[in-house]
Amino acid sequence: MKKILPSILSADFANLERDISELEEIGIDMFHIDVMDGNFVPNISFGFPIIEAIRSKTNKIFDCHLMIANPENYVERFCQAGCDMVSFHIEATNHADRVIQVIKNCGKKAGIVLNPQTPIEQVKYLLPKLDYVLIMTVNPGFGGQKFIPEMLEKIEELANIRVKNNYDFLIQVDGGINTETSKLCRDKGADLLVCGSFLFGAEDKKNTLGDLLR
Ligand code: DX5
Ligand code: ZN
């Protein structure tokens, strides 16, 4: 089943509770949470206290996207902060297999993220262990960037590998998702579509949500 995950990076940080409950009311059951460290990416978003604060306001699924260097140092704390799914960048660690184990030992779903320039080849050996793979469709760090169309081929390649090997990871995409790019990504095999600025900028979020899956 295809899903839209609103990225709370585009929410109003002074009114997070309001924005989350508004989205819950229109049927959202998974939230995408972008953690940026100012090192792995040239931007800083938020960390544990914010996640813990919103965790107490909703029981929907929290999908945490770690854009941090050396995720092995922090991943357990993100699991404890109340994330249900945790993904980290292959470019950010030399210990990917270990990080996956830590996430799974915490009872959470593990995902790995590939920057646009990173080939699937680099994570091939990890694919059987993963619950999801996130193909970045922009360079991470900011909301509101333009979708990189060359990533469609990468989504297709990953979907083909999945079929061929009978793997069961989900394919997630993140960056520049709107009604048009959502359809293109879904047609290539993407299951989970992160959407930030397009959804939060919409006048009528309920209709937009419908359009994003049409
Ligand atoms: C970018 C983040 C995204 C971002 C998406 O580094 O990982 O989740 O919030 O925002 P839009 O949908 O505006 O590209
Ligand atoms: Zn993200």
Side-chain angles (χ1 to χ4, degrees), residues 10-36:
S10 290
D12 175 356
F13 284 7
N15 290 289
L16 277 177
E17 184 177 5
R18 180 203 65 193
D19 282 8
I20 287 171
S21 63
E22 187 194 351
L23 288 163
E24 273 188 76
E25 273 161 32
I26 60 168
I28 290 297
D29 58 9
M30 294 171 97
F31 290 93
H32 182 81
I33 298 180
D34 288 303
V35 176
M36 304 177 179

Side-chain angles (χ1 to χ4, degrees), residues 7 9 32-36 63-67 87 89 113 134 136 140 172-175 194:
S7 163
L9 190 63
H32 182 81
I33 298 180
D34 288 303
V35 176
M36 304 177 179
D63 165 43
C64 183
H65 173 193
L66 295 178
M67 286 162 273
S87 68
H89 279 257
V113 194
L134 168 48
M136 288 307 299
Q172 187 177 47
V173 291
D174 184 8
V194 175

